[in-house]
Amino acid sequence: MYDPAEQPLLLEARHVRTWFPIRRGMLSRVTGHVRAVDDVSFDIRRGETLALVGESGCGKTTIGRTLLGLETAREGNVLFEGANLLGLSVAAWRPFRRRLQMIFQDPLSSLNPRMTVLDILTEGPAHHGLLHGPREELAERLLGEVGMDTSSLHRYPHEFSGGQRQRICIARALSLNPEFIVCDEAVSALDVSVQSQIINLLLDLREKHHLSYLFISHDLGVVRLISHRVAVMYLGRIVETGNTRSVIETPRHPYTRALVSAVPVPGRDRARRIILHGEVPSPARPPPGCPFHPRCPEAMDVCRREVPTARTVDGITVQCHLY
Ligand code: SF4
């Protein structure tokens, strides 16, 4: 049985900060920063899936884009097999580009409508010098890997359903033999029945190719089906990390408890749902102390003054003054 803890580290994010400048006036002076990702650290091992969950706008997608060099971090390190990816030039990124891939939420907008499936699946391998035979042979093998037949080869993205388009996106990511894939809300736009098919496909491919995933989602119900570990994000920070089952069954952080209480469970009393009051604060002006304190039902005086440090309780790492 696969045990992530026994696998070698593949990716390590260390104290990553990705802030976006706010510019005002005729001279576009920088008057502040949106702290989309603020001091985030985590590890992912070979063959492991780490889920990143939280409300929209909490910084999940920005982390995924930062790992792949699509956003520029102002601080921190992202080590991929020990090599730091942050700050690499376009040329220095080239050997890594094929090894780290991304699958997006909206397959239609991430596929070029003027390209056939054959072109879509072979463009990357041709660019990276990985095409060692007829294009059709490679594209047919990739379609087989994602459960599609070869009659799709000369068709265009608009001729497929949402689920089929997402399969094409997965095949395109596989075409470069990646080791790490960021799945950014990869099943959120799909019907529930199609969601489970795509999750099963991702699970099969993970096992077959020993892939590692960063699975970004707002849906804990989906996350529990695919991830080994989960990291809960709030306002640009990770507030709780641990084994998926432990975090979902015994959430420690008050924010995680609210998220878990919103997952429908047959037989669970709806009245037990924790309703959070107030708006998520602006990441341009995060509150002092614990960033969750304006909405936290358990906030204490210390929460308004001091940022909690990470503590590990029964294998779960949590940032909260309650621990
Ligand atoms: Fe709530 Fe305080 Fe814990 Fe923040 S540190 S989650 S405000 S109890």
Side-chain angles (χ1 to χ4, degrees):
M1 173 138 171
Y2 174 82
D3 180 0
E6 292 176 359
Q7 304 300 314
L9 277 174
L10 182 66
L11 185 137
E12 301 160 71
R14 293 279 170 266
H15 304 291
V16 176
R17 285 197 158 93
T18 309
W19 292 9
F20 299 109
I22 302 167
R23 296 180 187 278
R24 293 234 165 81
M26 297 277 287
L27 300 174
S28 290
R29 282 219 179 88
V30 175
T31 56
H33 289 90
V34 174
R35 302 176 185 198
V37 175
D38 206 13
D39 197 7
V40 162
S41 300
F42 56 84
D43 298 332
I44 301 181
R45 293 178 179 271
R46 279 207 178 268
E48 186 183 35
T49 299
L50 173 71
L52 214 46
V53 297
E55 293 161 295
S56 58
C58 69
K60 309 183 294 286
T61 293
T62 306
I63 287 188
R65 292 177 61 82
T66 303
L67 298 184
L68 269 62
L70 303 173
E71 303 291 354
T72 306
R74 62 184 278 149
E75 272 177 45
N77 295 304
V78 173
L79 305 177
F80 187 76
E81 283 198 318
N84 195 0
L85 300 180
L86 291 194
L88 290 185
S89 65
V90 174
W93 246 104
R94 195 176 157 85
F96 295 102
R97 187 61 71 200
R98 140 195 113 62
R99 300 171 69 190
L100 297 94
Q101 291 293 304
M102 191 159 185
I103 301 168
F104 298 91
Q105 175 175 2
D106 181 2
L108 188 57
S109 64
S110 69
L111 295 170
N112 186 333
R114 293 192 189 84
M115 290 172 79
T116 63
V117 171
L118 174 64
D119 293 336
I120 289 168
L121 297 186
T122 54
E123 184 189 35
H127 180 73
H128 286 270
L130 298 173
L131 210 49
H132 306 298
R135 291 197 314 151
E136 288 76 5
E137 215 170 86
L138 172 65
E140 285 174 8
R141 179 178 65 74
L142 290 166
L143 284 175
E145 291 237 36
V146 298
M148 291 179 72
D149 62 56
T150 53
S151 64
S152 314
L153 221 52
H154 300 286
R155 292 162 65 192
Y156 291 87
H158 72 270
E159 298 177 61
F160 296 92
S161 67
Q164 288 171 321
R165 281 196 285 265
Q166 199 56 297
R167 285 176 192 268
I168 295 167
C169 290
I170 294 169
R172 178 177 59 182
L174 287 181
S175 71
L176 296 171
N177 302 324
E179 291 151 66
F180 174 74
I181 301 180
V182 175
C183 305
D184 187 7
E185 301 277 9
V187 298
S188 305
L190 305 174
D191 292 342
V192 175
S193 62
V194 182
Q195 275 188 357
S196 57
Q197 292 169 14
I198 299 294
I199 293 281
N200 285 334
L201 173 64
L202 290 170
L203 288 170
D204 290 345
L205 294 171
R206 180 177 76 192
E207 193 172 330
K208 184 174 175 189
H209 297 289
H210 209 41
L211 296 168
S212 305
Y213 297 139
L214 178 68
F215 191 86
I216 296 172
S217 178
H218 64 278
D219 187 346
L220 273 172
V222 168
V223 158
R224 72 196 312 169
L225 300 175
I226 192 167
S227 68
H228 298 101
R229 287 186 303 127
V230 61
V232 180
M233 278 197 81
Y234 185 79
L235 212 62
R237 290 171 174 265
I238 290 179
V239 296
E240 183 161 1
T241 321
N243 171 283
T244 303
R245 193 165 167 190
S246 307
V247 169
I248 292 178
E249 288 182 0
T250 323
R252 270 77 172 179
H253 195 282
Y255 178 61
T256 316
R257 279 188 225 146
L259 284 186
V260 170
S261 79
V263 178
V265 175
R268 184 162 72 191
D269 185 0
R270 281 177 64 84
R272 283 178 56 199
R273 177 163 180 191
I274 301 167
I275 307 291
L276 293 176
H277 298 287
E279 297 289 314
V280 181
S282 165
R285 285 184 306 281
C290 170
F292 187 55
H293 87 251
R295 303 173 76 199
C296 180
E298 305 192 44
M300 306 167 281
D301 280 348
V302 64
C303 306
R304 297 177 185 86
R305 295 191 310 269
E306 293 176 24
V307 179
T309 50
R311 301 260 157 79
T312 301
V313 186
D314 301 331
I316 305 290
T317 303
V318 59
Q319 282 197 8
C320 173
H321 287 302
L322 291 173
Y323 302 92

